[in-house]
Amino acid sequence: MTAVPSPLPPGCFCRSAEGAKTAPVTVPVEAARIRAFCAAIGETAPVHTDEAAARAAGHPGLLAPPTFAQTLENLAETALAAQGSPGLLALLKADFARILHGQESYSLHAPIHAGDAITVQHEITGFRYTPRARIDTAHSVTRFTSHRGLCTKVTRTLIHRLPA
């Protein structure tokens, strides 16, 4: 393993953010947003777009597609900004001119339905500096919970391209 230089080169993520969590934010799941999301991604399954079909399939309302959690995350980030609280990228001190999407994975635990209130919270779980590649990575977990408990967990890696 490569030793991490001290201090880190310019452009690295803020290491003091490791272990930090954003304030939890609760956002409503609206049927109209689910329908708009489905239209955008080409999802046509009736449980996602037709209230009667969703209820006939045993759901209390429209069933959100798994990646709808990203819409909820965006709403939560907007709410955090409105409250004057830092979001994930602010905690990391991310530079938008240098940030790249690394990878993300979704772990599904319970369905999300129209009418739910989902609480969203980010946690910064670690960093990795790779000097030969001139990149710095930040690792985070975002949890989406409802009255049923954990619904979705998104594990993400973000990359900062460092200056030459």
Side-chain angles (χ1 to χ4, degrees), residues 91-106:
L91 287 173
L92 289 169
K93 298 192 181 346
D95 178 351
F96 285 99
R98 300 194 174 284
I99 201 162
L100 301 170
H101 183 279
Q103 69 181 38
E104 71 184 8
S105 64
Y106 287 74

